[in-house]
Amino acid sequence: MNSPLWQYLSFLLYPFALLYGLVLWVRNRLYDAGMLTSVEFSVPTIAVGNLSVGGTGKTPHVEYLIRLLKDRYRVATLSRGYNRKTKGFQLAAAKTTAADIGDEPMQFHLKYPDITVCVGEERMLAVPQLMSDRPDTEVILLDDAFQHRSIKPGLNLMVTDYSRLFTRDHVVPVGRLREGRKGYHRADGIIVSKCPAGLSVAEKENIRKEINPLPHQELYFTTLRYGVPADMLTGEPVLIPENAKLLVACGIARPEPLVQHLRQRHGNVSLLSFPDHYYYNRNDLEKIQLELGHMDGDGPAYIVTTEKDAVRLNLLRDIIANMQLPFTVIPVEVAFLFGEAPAFDRFVTRYTENALLAANEDPAGT
């Protein structure tokens, strides 16, 4: 946003950003000085988060870690459960819905039923509760926990969006940063996400220089890889023809990469965007149906949405079936660029193995 109006608004909002940034700076200094306490647990804990308010592609990176670790260790994910209808600690079970634990944890629960999924606003209290309920847990993935400094994770991974690197952003309300840029110092690993698949080595090196990782930090680059579309109600694969009419209906922070992906393959793509983590109602479904009906073209019509949206839309499953809305889900995964996947895997598994060894040597630890 470089319009004169936005520049004027930024000027007006800048004092508020300075004040907010100062408050967070003081808070972080208190944690760094030990005046505010961070609890460290003996069980291996890997935090995945970001400096910005959302849209960096954090969720598929958590899923990458789940796939990497779940066949070797008993894995649990712990999230806040943003925008859920419940409070306190919740452990995902057979009848759990997105309303109980939030959309992203529900997505983990559905895709990886062999791991433990739980939510809790107070992570410092939720970890002991998790270990009490699931004492065989060997590694905990802390989802969106970069700013939750009441817990000191064993491994801290920070994700930053290629199209809006934290080095070029500002603290809210002027920008999208939750804290000042120097917060990246806490990261053990930095992941530049949503990169173009053909990112050049020269641009990679320019970004490395711009971020300037500290000696203890590893830097990685990932891109999004979209999977085979599937019918939301049946789970069956869907072959979408090139002449199809596609209405992208989703409530995520940044739908642009998905829209761009579809427009590279289909000429007729429209977007109907809802707020991030939005819970749909019947009126929304009628609006979606109307928008789809207004699209030009003779090809078959599809409503394309994300996995995160699908777990929320599933609360209206019977209505969707009765309205015969052709919802199609596009799965997404991350892929590491420049052959970095083996190095990242070693980085994570080496930490996990060493942390488990230390925990076994000191079983009475916190």
Side-chain angles (χ1 to χ4, degrees), residues 46 48-49 56-68 108 141 143 157-160 190-195 220-224 332-336 344:
I46 303 174
V48 182
T56 60
K58 169 182 56 62
T59 300
H61 287 87
V62 175
E63 291 192 352
Y64 183 97
L65 290 171
I66 293 172
R67 292 191 298 273
L68 173 64
F108 302 151
L141 303 179
D143 179 28
L157 303 177
M158 192 193 89
V159 184
T160 183
I190 301 170
I191 301 172
V192 181
S193 66
K194 298 185 180 181
C195 296
Y220 303 96
F221 295 79
T222 63
T223 189
L224 295 179
V332 63
E333 295 181 354
V334 295
F336 282 81
F344 178 80

Side-chain angles (χ1 to χ4, degrees), residues 12-24:
L12 293 179
L13 292 171
Y14 192 69
F16 296 98
L18 283 178
L19 179 60
Y20 178 72
L22 177 62
V23 171
L24 290 177

Side-chain angles (χ1 to χ4, degrees), residues 292-354:
L292 188 64
H294 286 164
M295 289 186 67
D296 296 328
D298 299 323
Y302 298 87
I303 306 166
V304 178
T305 195
T306 69
E307 293 175 294
K308 190 165 74 169
D309 285 278
V311 300
R312 286 178 268 115
L313 285 163
N314 198 50
L315 298 170
L316 304 173
R317 186 180 186 88
D318 292 341
I319 299 175
I320 290 172
N322 290 334
M323 293 177 67
Q324 297 183 339
L325 296 176
F327 273 100
T328 304
V329 182
I330 303 281
V332 63
E333 295 181 354
V334 295
F336 282 81
L337 299 176
F338 309 107
E340 293 174 346
F344 178 80
D345 294 355
R346 287 193 300 271
F347 176 60
V348 172
T349 55
R350 185 184 304 119
Y351 156 73
T352 307
E353 291 166 0
N354 291 339

Side-chain angles (χ1 to χ4, degrees), residues 250-253 273-280 309 312:
C250 59
I252 58 175
S273 188
F274 294 85
D276 197 13
H277 301 284
Y278 182 74
Y279 282 90
Y280 300 87
D309 285 278
R312 286 178 268 115

Side-chain angles (χ1 to χ4, degrees), residues 20-38 145-151 178-179 186:
Y20 178 72
L22 177 62
V23 171
L24 290 177
W25 181 86
V26 171
R27 172 180 176 268
N28 282 326
R29 296 295 77 75
L30 291 175
Y31 272 111
D32 294 340
M35 298 178 70
L36 291 178
T37 303
S38 293
F146 198 74
Q147 279 74 37
H148 292 269
R149 298 202 60 185
S150 60
I151 288 183
R178 305 185 202 184
E179 60 175 295
R186 298 196 305 276

Side-chain angles (χ1 to χ4, degrees), residues 225-247:
R225 180 176 293 164
Y226 292 94
V228 177
D231 184 279
M232 196 193 90
L233 297 179
T234 67
E236 294 296 318
V238 175
L239 180 61
I240 301 178
E242 289 186 11
N243 68 332
K245 297 183 291 185
L246 303 183
L247 175 64

Side-chain angles (χ1 to χ4, degrees), residues 58-253:
K58 169 182 56 62
T59 300
H61 287 87
V62 175
E63 291 192 352
Y64 183 97
L65 290 171
I66 293 172
R67 292 191 298 273
L68 173 64
L69 298 171
K70 70 182 182 66
D71 293 333
R72 311 185 206 185
Y73 308 106
R74 288 180 285 274
V75 173
T77 65
L78 172 57
S79 310
R80 174 188 172 190
Y82 181 78
N83 211 24
R84 59 187 166 117
K85 309 304 181 183
T86 60
K87 298 292 183 182
F89 182 82
Q90 300 285 331
L91 201 60
K95 295 183 179 181
T96 298
T97 69
D100 299 319
I101 61 174
D103 51 9
E104 292 167 354
M106 189 63 195
Q107 182 175 320
F108 302 151
H109 181 50
L110 291 175
K111 293 181 72 173
Y112 309 101
D114 51 341
I115 72 166
T116 298
V117 174
C118 61
V119 296
E121 298 92 342
E122 299 294 335
R123 317 293 176 94
M124 183 172 60
L125 302 177
V127 170
Q129 182 66 58
L130 165 61
M131 296 307 297
S132 175
D133 292 347
R134 294 287 190 272
D136 60 345
T137 299
E138 294 178 299
V139 58
I140 301 174
L141 303 179
L142 300 173
D143 179 28
D144 196 17
F146 198 74
Q147 279 74 37
H148 292 269
R149 298 202 60 185
S150 60
I151 288 183
K152 183 179 180 182
L155 192 67
N156 218 353
L157 303 177
M158 192 193 89
V159 184
T160 183
D161 190 333
Y162 162 86
S163 66
R164 193 162 188 170
L165 295 173
F166 73 93
T167 51
R168 305 169 189 172
D169 210 344
H170 302 278
V171 172
V172 294
V174 174
R176 294 178 59 84
L177 296 184
R178 305 185 202 184
E179 60 175 295
R181 298 171 187 173
K182 288 188 177 180
Y184 90 96
H185 289 182
R186 298 196 305 276
D188 300 297
I190 301 170
I191 301 172
V192 181
S193 66
K194 298 185 180 181
C195 296
L199 184 71
S200 69
V201 173
E203 187 172 6
K204 170 192 172 184
E205 290 307 312
N206 286 337
I207 293 174
R208 174 180 289 276
K209 291 177 183 177
E210 181 174 338
I211 292 177
N212 191 24
L214 302 176
H216 75 279
Q217 294 176 326
E218 301 292 336
L219 180 64
Y220 303 96
F221 295 79
T222 63
T223 189
L224 295 179
R225 180 176 293 164
Y226 292 94
V228 177
D231 184 279
M232 196 193 90
L233 297 179
T234 67
E236 294 296 318
V238 175
L239 180 61
I240 301 178
E242 289 186 11
N243 68 332
K245 297 183 291 185
L246 303 183
L247 175 64
V248 180
C250 59
I252 58 175

